[in-house]
Amino acid sequence: MRTAKLSVIIISFLFLFLISGCGDEVNRLRMQNDAQQKLIDQRSAELNTVTIERDQLRRELEALRGRGNVDLETLTQKVALYEQTLQEKDQLIERLRQQLLTSGPVLPPELSSLLEDFAKANPGMVTYDKDRGIVKFSSDLLFNKGSDEVTSSAANAVKSLCGILNAPEAMDFDIVVAGHTDDIPIQKAETLAKHPSNWHLSVHRAISVEKIMETNSIDPKRLSVRGFGEFRPIVPNLPEKGGAEQNRRVEIYIVPKGA
């Protein structure tokens, strides 16, 4: 009896220890992502301040032009300085935003495991990059050639993904849907009428995936779309072989809320 009680105590202690450890890890990951987002917000506030000051100087400059004011040259120099500062801050913010998208947030282990299982259940169509928090769909299986209508089999896979992204482990994250194409120009007249360029096709495909997610209970406030056309290839395109299949893809980035 005493041995049984001791075993129960040990098991209870181990259980509490594991639960506590998981909670600490989740909190650490959340703090890490929050700190990165706060830095972006700080830089954005700085950018807004410089933009307001620059626009004020521009208005003063326009008012003085043609009046021969002695302060015109000084004011012009100030505007140029503000323009340079604005450009530098804009580039900094873009680098930070790209870091969130390309390096990816650190996802909770439970969520990452669910996404790995999802990719394994959809071989050929889906891959998951756990280091970057990106789910990749092959466009050749998501869409028919030149189309932005999601095939029925791919739509079912997206619906399954929505179940994961609505799980409690994922609710602290937003979702960015990004479309990509190869570099083969669109030639068919009926396709050009709907998608004048690869830019348009990549965005329209991202929107189609986003719409499925929205109709499957993903809060639209968590969703955004991007299109990169042919300009973010992951392998060299092969024009003589119809482009590169790996470059025709839709990527779903899982990013900290508000990123």
Side-chain angles (χ1 to χ4, degrees), residues 51-192:
T51 302
I52 292 171
E53 293 173 344
R54 180 206 61 184
D55 291 345
Q56 177 62 30
L57 282 174
R58 277 180 170 172
R59 287 191 291 269
E60 293 179 16
L61 180 62
E62 289 302 317
L64 291 173
R65 278 204 172 103
R67 289 167 33 188
N69 193 293
V70 293
D71 292 331
L72 183 59
E73 183 177 353
T74 300
L75 195 56
T76 301
Q77 291 174 351
K78 286 184 178 180
V79 170
L81 179 61
Y82 273 95
E83 291 280 7
Q84 180 181 351
T85 303
L86 179 70
Q87 183 178 11
E88 290 173 353
K89 290 185 181 294
D90 200 14
Q91 291 172 349
L92 175 59
I93 289 172
E94 183 59 27
R95 284 199 301 271
L96 289 167
R97 284 179 175 154
Q98 286 302 316
Q99 184 179 349
L100 276 175
L101 291 178
T102 58
S103 298
V106 184
L107 299 182
E110 299 88 347
L111 175 58
S112 188
S113 178
L114 289 172
L115 293 171
E116 282 187 281
D117 291 342
F118 169 72
K120 290 176 182 177
N122 295 275
M125 180 185 294
V126 179
T127 58
Y128 171 57
D129 186 341
K130 65 180 180 180
D131 294 327
R132 300 169 65 197
I134 303 175
V135 177
K136 297 181 184 179
F137 283 84
S138 168
S139 286
D140 286 4
L141 296 176
L142 266 179
F143 309 96
N144 293 320
K145 187 175 181 180
S147 172
D148 65 344
E149 294 183 11
V150 180
T151 64
S152 58
S153 60
N156 289 331
V158 175
K159 291 176 184 177
S160 297
L161 177 61
C162 291
I164 297 172
L165 297 178
N166 266 333
E169 297 85 356
M171 295 309 291
D172 284 336
F173 295 88
D174 286 344
I175 302 150
V176 180
V177 185
H180 301 263
T181 68
D182 59 23
D183 65 347
I184 304 300
I186 298 173
Q187 296 179 344
K188 289 186 177 180
E190 58 268 31
T191 303
L192 283 170

